[in-house]
Amino acid sequence: CTMTGHTVTVRFVAFSRDGTRIVSGSYDHLLKIWDAGSGAEVCTLRGHTGEVFSVAIFPDGKRIVSGAGDNPVKIWDVETGAEVFTLRGHTDFVLSVAISPDGTRIASGSRDELVKIWNAETGAEVCTLTGHTGWVQVVAFSRDGTRIVSGSNDHLLKIWDAGSGAEVCTLRGHTGEVFSVAIFPDGKRIVSGAGDNPVKIWDVETGAEVFTLRGHTDFVLSVAISPDGTRIASGSRDEL
């Protein structure tokens, strides 16, 4: 089915863990929740005053987090569509949000070059992770929730301790801005896509580059890892 309702570019979509709901975020400043089976619109979430760049659904499916061009991170109630918290702290567009596997923490990456960790239950800022010198375009948690990886247009990936906020290591090797990252299910490796065209796989423990996967002829905008960790999918501006 095709779901219609947004009036301009749909920037991000995500499934709930149980597969019954889809949430979309758009440059029309809105989020929409859809019934994944019928394609019917369930509700529209209004509150952002800027383009929505990133959305994620909590593991229990009851709340949504979003990042947008108005700088705050917002948490929403799925059942009512109400705004639960507005998390203020970033001073520029929030380009990426991620939720810890246990649903207790949120990570956000911004054009202000910062990563922030938030308490998902209270909305309080836990810590700010500094070190990037460019926009933080993507953040992701490891499956066990102990590590966060960030990717930036400073060409770097950074691994952080999710508990203390300390930088664990910096992954150097890309020669273009980093658009997408994912952590393998076992937490031992990372895959990244960037503006230099190759996909790279990294060792989390050492920070070493394990493989460079060549084949794309333009920016790699998205990467994903299969649940069993045996395959990687990548999407590029080369239309492949």
Side-chain angles (χ1 to χ4, degrees), residues 89-142:
H90 285 296
T91 58
D92 209 333
F93 295 2
V94 177
L95 302 176
S96 182
V97 293
I99 302 167
S100 63
D102 63 2
T104 62
R105 289 164 297 160
I106 295 164
S108 56
S110 169
R111 237 170 45 165
D112 63 11
E113 305 179 358
L114 301 175
V115 176
K116 288 182 180 288
I117 301 175
W118 312 83
N119 184 309
E121 300 305 316
T122 66
E125 182 179 322
V126 176
C127 58
T128 297
L129 316 183
T130 61
H132 282 296
T133 58
W135 301 355
V136 180
Q137 306 202 104
V138 60
V139 291
F141 275 93
S142 61

Side-chain angles (χ1 to χ4, degrees), residues 2-77:
T2 299
M3 303 170 191
T4 59
H6 287 295
T7 56
V8 290
T9 303
V10 177
R11 179 67 176 80
F12 208 96
V13 292
F15 271 96
S16 60
R17 184 170 287 186
D18 66 4
T20 63
R21 291 289 185 267
I22 295 168
V23 62
S24 56
S26 168
Y27 287 176
D28 62 9
H29 304 182
L30 303 177
L31 294 94
K32 289 181 179 288
I33 301 173
W34 312 85
D35 183 285
S38 67
E41 182 179 322
V42 177
C43 65
T44 296
L45 311 183
R46 304 174 187 275
H48 280 299
T49 57
E51 303 165 332
V52 179
F53 293 108
S54 185
V55 299
I57 303 178
F58 279 76
D60 63 7
K62 295 180 179 179
R63 293 182 299 165
I64 290 167
V65 63
S66 58
D70 52 2
N71 306 353
V73 174
K74 290 183 182 288
I75 299 175
W76 312 81
D77 184 278

Side-chain angles (χ1 to χ4, degrees), residues 130-133 149-152 154-159 167-176 178 190 192 194 196 200-204 206-212:
T130 61
H132 282 296
T133 58
V149 62
S150 57
S152 168
D154 63 8
H155 305 179
L156 303 176
L157 295 95
K158 289 180 179 288
I159 302 172
E167 182 179 323
V168 177
C169 64
T170 296
L171 311 184
R172 305 174 186 275
H174 281 299
T175 57
V178 179
I190 291 168
S192 59
D196 53 1
K200 290 182 181 289
I201 299 175
W202 312 82
D203 184 279
V204 168
T206 66
E209 186 178 317
V210 179
F211 295 116
T212 295

